[in-house]
Amino acid sequence: MKAVRFHEYGDPAVLRYEDVELPAPGAGQVRIRVAGTSFNSVDGNIRGGFMQGPIPVQLPHTPGLDVAGTVDALGEGVDGLAVGDPVVGFLPMDKPGAAAEYVLAPAEVLAAAPKSVPLADAAALPLVGLTAYQALFDHGHLTAGQRVLINGAGGAVGGYAVQLAGNAGAHVIATASPRSAAAVGEAGADEVVDHTAGRVTDAVTEPVDVVLNLAPVAPEQLAALVTLVRPGGVLVNTTVWMPAPSDEARDVRGIDLFVRGDGEQLAKLVAQVDSGELHVDVAERVPLAELAALHTRAAEGAVHGKVVVVPSAA
């Protein structure tokens, strides 16, 4: 099969489009014929060698944490799936990814693919959707009627977080730049704060129950967001290179989120997609053979929105 791999860490030029042996599923695994994967910013960090501590991949490594495709073969002990089933999943971050024509996945991270979007486009959902879901509900314990501040809502995770929080009945305050403000509003934010026009802490005048930080802000800016949280509330931070601050005196918890694969949670997201409550937004589709060029554009800051990567054979 064809796959993109890097044999050493480095800039996007280390990515090679090459022939790789077709993998065989082991116990509990499923082989998937890939219809699409997606680009995530962490892909560039892994390729560059900046994540060797938390994500120790084995070289040569195939990137691509999201997968959408059809079940091609089943390993021993896999129940509830059949060859030909369309599925989506968030793959283990330290294992070979889906920038390939076929990939192996643990059965438990998979969910039936949404029926309302093209199969390849469903690859835009798993990692960012699960990040938003786990931040808001597993860690933030967000419920109807609460107030949530989503800092850095203009990205892919933010788009899902705004929708999910709104669907849960929360009052959603979202920060965004002027470029993404309209999209954040369309996603359902009740208030949109232009974080380029002044301090977020000046714009948010009433306490919130949950802060979800998705932005690479300075440590002092992140610490300032804690002051917006009511006593007993929580700040969930996804920029894991900077620990989440807390305020023990007011019982405000700071939590660093490490997203995990979860087929049951992903199935809930898929159900919202198919009911029309959750919109999957794809900015562009790129052939697998051009993945290195996509990494280059991303490193230059020239990629906006979610990009799906499609094997030529798909």
Side-chain angles (χ1 to χ4, degrees):
M1 68 172 186
K2 289 292 188 182
V4 172
R5 302 194 298 179
F6 55 90
H7 295 247
E8 60 277 331
Y9 296 112
D11 64 24
V14 301
L15 292 167
R16 305 183 195 173
Y17 182 61
E18 59 191 9
D19 290 312
V20 178
E21 186 176 346
L22 189 69
Q29 289 185 320
V30 174
R31 186 170 68 208
I32 300 167
R33 183 175 186 268
V34 178
T37 185
S38 81
F39 176 79
N40 294 285
S41 58
V42 70
D43 291 327
N45 291 328
I46 295 172
R47 184 213 70 236
F50 307 119
M51 305 292 287
Q52 294 181 57
I55 309 173
V57 302
Q58 182 177 344
L59 300 178
H61 178 71
T62 303
L65 297 168
D66 293 306
V67 65
T70 53
V71 173
D72 177 71
L74 302 174
E76 182 182 352
V78 174
D79 297 317
L81 289 169
V83 171
D85 285 351
V87 293
V88 291
F90 167 47
L91 301 172
M93 300 180 82
D94 60 346
K95 301 297 187 224
E101 291 177 331
Y102 295 85
V103 69
L104 300 181
E108 65 269 15
V109 306
L110 301 175
K115 299 179 175 64
S116 56
V117 299
L119 182 55
D121 287 2
L125 175 65
L127 187 154
V128 289
L130 286 170
T131 299
Y133 185 95
Q134 291 169 17
L136 292 171
F137 304 116
D138 286 0
H139 300 294
H141 304 295
L142 186 69
T143 58
Q146 290 189 321
R147 291 166 53 85
V148 57
L149 170 64
I150 301 171
N151 190 49
V157 176
Y160 285 113
V162 169
Q163 294 180 76
L164 289 169
N167 292 348
H171 180 89
V172 181
I173 308 164
T175 75
S177 67
R179 188 187 69 211
S180 54
V184 169
E186 290 170 7
D190 298 289
E191 302 175 42
V192 180
V193 174
D194 179 1
H195 64 79
T196 69
R199 295 186 300 183
V200 174
T201 49
D202 292 335
V204 180
T205 56
E206 295 182 37
V208 299
D209 300 277
V210 178
V211 168
L212 171 53
N213 180 61
L214 306 171
V217 297
E220 59 270 19
Q221 292 175 296
L222 188 60
L225 295 178
V226 175
T227 67
L228 300 175
V229 182
R230 65 161 180 80
V234 60
L235 181 148
V236 183
N237 179 45
T238 64
T239 55
V240 295
W241 61 87
M242 182 170 50
S246 59
D247 184 347
E248 294 181 4
R250 298 191 306 115
D251 191 28
V252 175
R253 294 172 296 129
I255 295 174
D256 292 302
L257 172 68
F258 294 87
V259 63
R260 58 183 175 82
D262 188 312
E264 292 184 5
Q265 288 184 351
L266 190 51
K268 293 178 182 179
L269 296 176
V270 167
Q272 289 196 39
V273 171
D274 280 341
S275 69
E277 298 174 277
L278 198 61
H279 178 65
V280 176
D281 185 40
V282 175
E284 58 178 310
R285 297 161 190 83
V286 171
L288 177 61
E290 298 176 16
L291 184 59
L294 173 61
H295 273 237
T296 297
R297 286 197 290 129
E300 296 168 348
V303 172
H304 304 294
K306 199 67 177 164
V307 181
V308 166
V309 179
V310 183
S312 57

